Amino acid sequence: MTKPIPRPVASPQLTIGEPLQFPADDNAVEGPIVVSIACSPEDDSTAVPLAAASALDAASGGVLATWLADGNASGKAGEICMAALPTKDGSVATVVMVGIGDVDELTRDSLFRHGSAVIRQLASQPRSKIVVAMGLDVPSKFHDALVAGCLFGCEGQAIYRQNPSTHVGDAIEFSGVSAEMLTRGQTIGQSINLTRRLVNEPPSIMNPTEFANRSVAMASEVGLGSEVWDETRLADERCEAILAVGRGSASPPCLLKLQHAGGGDDQPPVVIVGKGVTFDSGGLSLKPSEGMVDMKCDMAGAATVVGVMHAIAKLGVGLNVIGLCGLAENMVSGDSYKLGDVIQTRSGKTIEILNTDAEGRVVLADTLDVAVEQAPAAIVDLATLTGACMVALGNETAGLMTNDESLCNELTDAAKAEGEPVWELPMFKLFDDKVHSKVADIKNVGEGRWGGAITAAKFLENFVAEVPWLHIDIAGPAFADSPKPDRDAGATGVMVRTLIRWIENQAN
Ligand code: BES
Ligand code: MN
Ligand code: ZN
């Protein structure tokens, strides 16, 4: 089979620019200039602070200020307006002004999204260079979020379009941003885009082996340790649950381990675990087409782990962190695992299969057991695990389920700081017997559909022993049906920012 060739992951050159001087005779700014402006709370439109735009205003002989004073831009959050600016030297500059609203209400997430939205807007035509001038009133601790957002806006799902309708600039120059914040923002943006690319690739390309190969290549680039357990090793390691789910597929399953040794030898690691079902047909409990159409996204948990490990290595976080991905394709064949099958998992616990479409928890059973073996300080798993979580929380909020409230609070705080919506679901004891089986230790579905996100988590809880553990169900927010001004449809890279922050907090 000849494989289509994807576009490379968007990687415009990012540089730091001089403080905005426009136009300087010898180095006139080329390309559109993006300027963030803020509105004061008691805004009377004549008082829009021009921040970084003041140099432009001077260069235009006051035209910009007059134009703004006429009420053409309010500076309210999310407003993007473009203006053609005549300059003293007779040329015309394109200026794009992004409203960031009241600076006191500015968040990392809003700045991230403003950056993405403006880059997406400018992608309507090819541009060699875009200059982004940071508003003077934007706190510098947020600057990395704008840089990351600008990179995020460059990547989308049209990776196999021969004539893409959007164009990524070759270079973005940031003025008013420190080198440190530029590098940090770039790392975060690249990591999110890495996650998104892994998810957006078609499932026949991104099978377990390809996922592992790309991750191992990335690991050696950034200095992470890596290990892949193939089918033979999985059998030696008694990972019968991963093997069972993968058995119906022509692409063999595997387990991927990525390791960042940023802490001391005796420091217990943090382990992040991802569900990596590279395509979920449902198996013999076959999904209808409408339910299957986006199921290449069922490895988003694993892709999040890879993106986060990439960031942790590049940021040099001072903590031991291990990433584990259980990778399998859930397919239909004469050798598929069956309803009524009983599997002995790596932990020794037996599970009765009553629905082959509840495969994620089966893969995670063995993967979590490998995590426990690392004697970790905490385990966080990410999984596109249940449609029920989407029914409960919608498609923009991740569900949190835990055996350790303080761990859950830590992650919630990190998510708040990054502006990624999360919500905890209860893990009451009364749910425990919903996964009891008549023939094995537990069964892989609850009783009926009710509380489906929680019964899935209750199943997982069986495999984490006494380790503080948090389960994040990202079935809703991992993959978007439709585009928004600040992001394309397809993979969203949700939770990469939150996990980076949570892990960095652990190191401090
Ligand atoms: N991968 C799906 C969950 C999913 C659904 C993710 C929609 C993203 C979007 C998972 O493997 C699944 O099929 N879960 C079943 C569980 C059921 C059979 C107990 C579900 O949610 O219907
Ligand atoms: Mn499924
Ligand atoms: Zn699944």
Side-chain angles (χ1 to χ4, degrees):
M1 185 180 108
T2 313
K3 286 185 180 162
I5 313 230
R7 298 168 79 178
V9 179
S11 58
Q13 200 197 344
L14 304 191
T15 51
I16 303 266
E18 295 295 308
L20 202 59
Q21 296 286 337
F22 183 86
D25 292 333
D26 39 355
N27 61 337
V29 178
E30 34 156 331
I33 303 169
V34 177
V35 177
S36 76
I37 59 171
C39 68
S40 49
E42 60 288 350
D43 176 18
D44 60 351
S45 54
T46 54
V48 176
L50 284 174
S54 58
L56 290 170
D57 185 49
S60 69
V63 170
L64 184 57
T66 311
W67 186 81
L68 288 169
D70 279 348
N72 286 299
S74 67
K76 73 175 200 288
E79 178 191 68
I80 296 178
C81 64
M82 295 176 88
L85 198 63
T87 65
K88 282 182 193 154
D89 72 355
S91 62
V92 178
T94 305
V95 180
V96 186
M97 279 153 292
V98 187
I100 56 173
D102 185 347
V103 173
D104 295 336
E105 284 165 25
L106 191 65
T107 63
R108 290 180 63 77
D109 183 54
S110 61
L111 207 51
F112 180 91
R113 285 189 284 117
H114 295 332
S116 177
V118 76
I119 293 295
R120 280 170 55 71
Q121 174 127 344
L122 288 170
S124 59
Q125 67 181 81
R127 305 176 193 273
S128 57
K129 182 171 167 190
I130 295 171
V131 179
V132 178
M134 185 67 81
L136 299 179
D137 31 17
V138 177
S140 59
K141 62 175 184 188
F142 288 176
H143 286 186
D144 57 331
L146 181 81
V147 176
C150 287
L151 264 184
F152 181 89
C154 293
E155 176 76 11
Q157 67 173 353
I159 56 183
Y160 288 96
R161 278 230 182 113
Q162 296 195 55
N163 300 304
S165 53
T166 58
H167 311 267
V168 173
D170 303 327
I172 306 176
E173 181 178 297
F174 289 87
S175 106
V177 175
S178 70
E180 190 194 348
M181 285 313 239
L182 182 101
T183 310
R184 187 180 159 79
Q186 183 167 27
T187 296
I188 294 169
Q190 283 171 344
S191 303
I192 302 172
N193 286 346
L194 166 62
T195 297
R196 293 167 77 206
R197 177 54 72 100
L198 290 168
V199 175
N200 281 335
E201 285 280 12
S204 291
I205 290 174
M206 195 50 62
N207 58 35
T209 307
E210 177 69 13
F211 187 100
N213 287 346
R214 286 203 201 183
S215 304
V216 168
M218 177 283 285
S220 72
E221 258 167 47
V222 301
L224 288 167
S226 68
E227 193 176 310
V228 179
W229 291 0
D230 63 5
E231 270 182 309
T232 316
R233 179 74 191 271
L234 285 172
D236 290 347
E237 294 279 349
R238 311 176 317 281
C239 292
E240 294 299 328
I242 296 177
L243 286 167
V245 172
R247 212 171 58 213
S249 169
S251 305
C254 59
L255 182 139
L256 167 72
K257 179 179 180 185
L258 298 173
Q259 192 152 14
H260 171 71
D265 287 346
D266 50 356
Q267 181 199 68
V270 159
V271 184
I272 52 175
V273 170
K275 168 179 173 181
V277 174
T278 59
F279 185 69
D280 182 11
S281 73
L284 291 174
S285 310
L286 194 65
K287 286 182 186 292
S289 286
E290 318 85 75
M292 209 187 293
V293 67
D294 286 335
M295 278 304 130
K296 68 175 183 183
C297 84
D298 215 16
M299 33 59 79
T304 307
V305 167
V306 173
V308 171
M309 293 305 292
H310 173 265
I312 294 307
K314 287 193 93 169
L315 295 171
V317 177
L319 193 76
N320 294 331
V321 186
I322 294 174
L324 289 172
C325 301
L327 298 160
E329 193 186 50
N330 189 23
M331 295 293 279
V332 180
S333 87
D335 203 23
S336 294
Y337 78 135
K338 303 175 187 72
L339 291 79
D341 273 352
V342 172
I343 301 163
Q344 176 135 41
T345 63
R346 188 172 193 270
S347 72
K349 275 195 183 150
T350 54
I351 53 187
E352 181 189 17
I353 302 301
L354 292 178
N355 190 321
T356 60
D357 196 13
E359 83 299 338
R361 65 197 76 181
V362 179
V363 170
L364 287 173
D366 281 346
T367 316
L368 287 169
D369 187 65
V370 178
V372 169
E373 205 172 72
Q374 317 296 316
I379 299 175
V380 176
D381 81 72
L382 297 120
T384 46
L385 203 64
T386 65
C389 198
M390 302 171 73
V391 174
L393 298 176
N395 56 13
E396 278 170 318
T397 302
L400 306 181
M401 285 144 271
T402 190
N403 63 3
D404 186 302
E405 286 308 324
S406 72
L407 171 58
C408 186
N409 291 339
E410 283 169 18
L411 193 112
T412 304
D413 289 346
K416 272 204 191 113
E418 293 297 331
E420 296 194 294
V422 298
W423 197 256
E424 188 182 4
L425 298 175
M427 288 282 278
F428 301 136
K429 272 237 158 301
L430 58 90
F431 286 98
D432 286 3
D433 42 341
K434 310 270 187 229
V435 291
H436 283 169
S437 159
K438 295 193 190 72
V439 298
D441 295 328
I442 51 172
K443 58 183 179 185
N444 80 329
V445 290
E447 318 254 295
R449 325 191 276 123
W450 310 124
I454 299 168
T455 49
K458 279 287 171 188
F459 176 99
L460 298 180
E461 194 178 21
N462 278 277
F463 300 94
V464 296
E466 304 297 308
V467 179
W469 157 77
L470 175 72
H471 161 58
I472 310 182
D473 193 329
I474 54 170
F479 197 84
D481 295 337
S482 47
K484 293 209 280 193
D486 57 36
R487 58 145 179 77
D488 199 358
T492 62
V494 70
M495 289 295 123
V496 173
R497 284 179 283 160
T498 294
L499 277 158
I500 295 171
R501 175 165 292 266
W502 174 72
I503 290 170
E504 285 191 323
N505 287 345
Q506 304 303 297
N508 295 330

